[in-house]
Amino acid sequence: MFRILIIDDDPNISDIISQLAEDSGYAASTASNLTDGLMVLQSESFDLVFLDVRLPDGSGLDALPRIRSSKGQPDVIIITGAGDPDGAELAIQNGAWDYIEKGSSLKQITFSMERALRFRERNKEWSERIIKRKSLIGDSPALHSVLENLSVAATGDASVLITGETGTGKEVVARTVHENSNRVEGPFVVLDCASIPENLVEGELFGHIKGSFTGATTSQKGVIEQADGGTLFLDEVGELPLPTQSAFLRVLQEKRYRPIGSTSEKTSNFRLVAATNRNLEKMCEDGTFRTDLYYRLKSCSMEIPPLRNRLEDVPALAEFHTARLCAKYSTSTKTLSNELITILMHYEWPGNVRELVQTLERTIMRAKGEPTLYPEHLPVDIRARAAGKMLRPAEQKTPFQEKNDSSMLEPVPADVISSLFSDEFPAFKAFRTTCIAQIEKVYLENLIRQANGSIKEACKLSGLSRTRLYVLMKEHDISK
């Protein structure tokens, strides 16, 4: 049974949509403000959310990304004021499935609801396909939307445009599209458009024949020819010069090209996957990127979230790349301590996954022969910035924290500490790790009890982010 949530401060609208949902055989819940709606979405899974734009405690549009990435990753239908074209446009641009105006007929509301749920059911079949992903690591809600788009892209042959900040892993996603497509047996050819001088770009793309220009002592295949039967990945496609964009558009349309100096055309059956960290739409407005090429590229598009928006993936990413780097340098596999993972999850990673990998590489070199990585092995700048985020100023302490500072935090009994000793006397670092784990577990159990199971209240009391709290609860096997 589909589950629907209505977030609207107008009880009449909530009642109408609830009744329509129940008449169609669906379960309906309501929330009268944004705060309550987000709390419900964190604890329960929904398929569809009807969301008012203007709520007493905030804008529905501002909350759209959080709602779309919440448990169940529901689709969203925005409820706009009558005659508000800007609201409707913003709703679709921000990821809403559809929008309805207040005062819409019951038939219109039902039609929009049924259409969204039918599409969701069909889309679920695509998303449940098993995606082979060797290096695309993570299971966060933010990454799930990428995997859904990837699943659809892999089944077709249309061009794919991957956008995202530098270092987010756009090439990894491009390779994953190729590895899940029917071209997997063909070549995967990469051209970094930002690293080639403007006067050499066409030669790299189309190739040249011997004697076509000074220095052309041999003929050379371009990447278009090399990618025949496979996938051509153009990284930083926004750096293509305008004249080259025009020539390349023709290749995309006709799959025919002429090497420099040649009098005859060749054909190449390639699939294009392009990536950029630039705003191509803005470049089209500024006249620095061809609009027709842009729309040709974005037949299927996906945006890769920055690492700061999927910090729950950091432990898995860190373990994967640590194992890979240890193998690369023929070093024995190293274990990541809980303290180190905590530091990594409190750093915002402006350089994204690339910066995380480089940090782990430096950390492994600093640890030398030690089997476990601890915070002291991390670069000082990473530790300093993470520590600044972890420590809250004294004036920001909550009454509960001040109470904990004295009366509620009792010393750990000596017999509990003694019980942690085994027959073989433990090394200090291993013993410290075990003690910290025990103390964290006790703290978290008391925190959840004090907050009456409310994650929001627990975050407020502890100063932990919701993401970090969930990670710790999972780590210590604690439920609400």
Side-chain angles (χ1 to χ4, degrees):
M1 178 189 294
F2 288 118
R3 303 192 68 218
I4 297 173
L5 174 65
I6 303 101
I7 306 177
D8 198 307
D9 59 334
D10 186 334
N12 292 326
I13 291 177
S14 295
D15 289 345
I16 289 170
I17 299 177
S18 293
Q19 190 61 57
L20 288 173
E22 290 170 0
D23 289 346
S24 298
Y26 311 136
S29 301
T30 63
S32 60
N33 57 60
L34 198 54
T35 302
D36 290 347
L38 291 172
M39 287 181 65
V40 172
L41 286 164
Q42 289 296 332
S43 59
E44 301 178 46
S45 180
F46 289 88
D47 298 288
L48 182 63
V49 174
F50 282 88
L51 177 66
D52 191 7
V53 171
R54 295 178 177 84
L55 291 158
D57 54 346
S59 164
L61 291 179
D62 292 342
L64 248 177
R66 289 180 63 187
I67 292 173
R68 292 282 290 119
S69 62
S70 65
K71 191 174 182 178
Q73 296 183 286
D75 289 303
V76 178
I77 294 177
I78 287 289
I79 305 172
T80 69
D84 184 6
D86 292 337
E89 183 178 348
L90 284 170
I92 302 301
Q93 288 178 347
N94 284 274
W97 160 257
D98 199 0
Y99 65 92
I100 57 172
E101 292 185 354
K102 292 189 175 182
S104 295
S105 68
L106 301 183
K107 185 177 180 180
Q108 286 176 309
I109 297 173
T110 303
F111 175 74
S112 182
M113 176 175 64
E114 295 289 354
R115 192 173 58 157
L117 293 173
R118 281 199 305 272
F119 181 83
R120 182 177 180 84
E121 196 165 27
R122 288 196 302 271
N123 198 44
K124 188 178 180 182
E125 297 175 8
W126 293 108
S127 63
E128 287 177 347
R129 291 180 67 245
I130 297 176
I131 298 293
K132 295 178 290 184
R133 44 183 182 135
K134 298 176 183 176
S135 304
L136 186 55
I137 308 301
D139 196 36
S140 62
L143 194 61
H144 280 174
S145 60
V146 175
L147 293 174
E148 287 180 7
N149 288 330
L150 194 154
S151 178
V152 175
T155 61
D157 214 31
S159 299
V160 178
L161 177 62
I162 304 170
T163 57
E165 296 177 6
T166 298
T168 49
K170 295 186 287 294
E171 184 173 340
V172 171
V173 173
R175 285 186 182 275
T176 307
V177 170
H178 172 72
E179 289 164 1
N180 285 273
S181 72
N182 58 9
R183 294 176 175 266
V184 63
E185 300 299 328
F188 180 82
V189 182
V190 180
L191 180 66
D192 182 358
C193 302
S195 65
I196 304 169
E198 185 172 334
N199 62 322
L200 299 179
V201 173
E202 290 199 9
E204 290 290 332
L205 281 170
F206 308 123
H208 64 260
I209 63 172
K210 181 179 178 179
S212 57
F213 54 85
T214 303
T217 56
T218 60
S219 297
Q220 179 177 306
K221 292 181 179 180
V223 292
I224 292 173
E225 184 174 354
Q226 295 172 39
D228 188 20
T231 302
L232 172 60
F233 175 55
L234 293 186
D235 198 10
E236 301 304 340
V237 70
E239 306 302 324
L240 275 180
L242 269 172
T244 307
Q245 291 176 30
S246 179
F248 187 66
L249 176 63
R250 180 176 177 271
V251 177
L252 275 182
Q253 291 169 337
E254 302 178 15
K255 294 295 193 253
R256 301 180 67 84
Y257 66 99
R258 180 181 288 121
I260 295 175
S262 175
T263 57
S264 59
E265 289 189 330
K266 290 186 174 184
T267 61
S268 177
N269 176 21
F270 67 92
R271 185 201 191 163
L272 178 68
V273 178
T276 183
N277 62 3
R278 302 185 66 179
N279 186 338
L280 294 187
E281 193 167 347
K282 179 68 166 56
M283 292 179 67
C284 289
E285 294 174 1
D286 296 340
T288 55
F289 199 86
R290 289 183 63 104
T291 303
D292 46 6
L293 177 58
Y294 170 60
Y295 286 112
R296 186 84 186 190
L297 291 178
K298 63 172 294 188
S299 299
C300 179
S301 61
M302 59 186 81
E303 183 172 4
I304 314 304
L307 187 53
R308 62 182 173 275
N309 288 354
R310 57 183 190 108
L311 288 175
E312 54 265 66
D313 288 335
V314 166
L317 282 164
E319 289 176 3
F320 172 82
H321 287 291
T322 297
R324 183 181 61 80
L325 290 167
C326 287
K328 175 183 176 181
Y329 293 111
S330 301
T331 302
S332 58
T333 302
K334 298 186 183 296
T335 303
L336 307 180
S337 67
N338 291 335
E339 300 98 316
L340 181 130
I341 291 293
T342 299
I343 294 290
L344 296 181
M345 292 191 67
H346 279 86
Y347 182 67
E348 293 197 340
W349 303 108
N352 296 296
V353 179
R354 183 179 299 158
E355 184 184 7
L356 173 63
V357 173
Q358 292 169 345
T359 298
L360 290 169
E361 194 164 13
R362 292 162 64 190
T363 302
I364 291 169
M365 295 299 101
R366 288 165 63 94
K368 297 180 181 177
E370 295 193 42
T372 304
L373 301 180
Y374 291 98
E376 53 264 36
H377 296 133
L378 286 167
V380 174
D381 57 327
I382 302 290
R383 291 163 58 192
R385 293 184 187 181
K389 188 178 177 184
M390 291 166 66
L391 296 176
R392 301 178 70 197
E395 62 270 16
Q396 291 185 8
K397 285 187 175 182
T398 65
F400 175 71
Q401 286 175 305
E402 292 173 356
K403 186 178 180 183
N404 272 349
D405 288 341
S406 55
S407 61
M408 291 192 69
L409 293 183
E410 299 176 359
V412 179
D415 59 335
V416 173
I417 296 177
S418 297
S419 68
L420 299 177
F421 285 89
S422 58
D423 294 335
E424 183 179 345
F425 198 85
F428 173 73
K429 286 184 177 179
F431 181 70
R432 181 181 64 177
T433 299
T434 304
C435 287
I436 289 173
Q438 294 278 355
I439 293 168
E440 282 184 355
K441 185 175 177 67
V442 171
Y443 176 84
L444 292 167
E445 288 173 342
N446 281 278
L447 172 65
I448 298 300
R449 190 179 301 116
Q450 181 71 22
N452 294 318
S454 167
I455 296 298
K456 180 182 178 182
E457 184 66 14
C459 291
K460 181 180 177 182
L461 293 173
S462 64
L464 292 167
S465 68
R466 186 181 293 271
T467 297
R468 182 59 185 148
L469 179 57
Y470 275 125
V471 169
L472 286 170
M473 288 172 65
K474 183 177 181 180
E475 189 177 296
H476 295 289
D477 195 25
I478 296 172
S479 65
K480 292 191 292 182

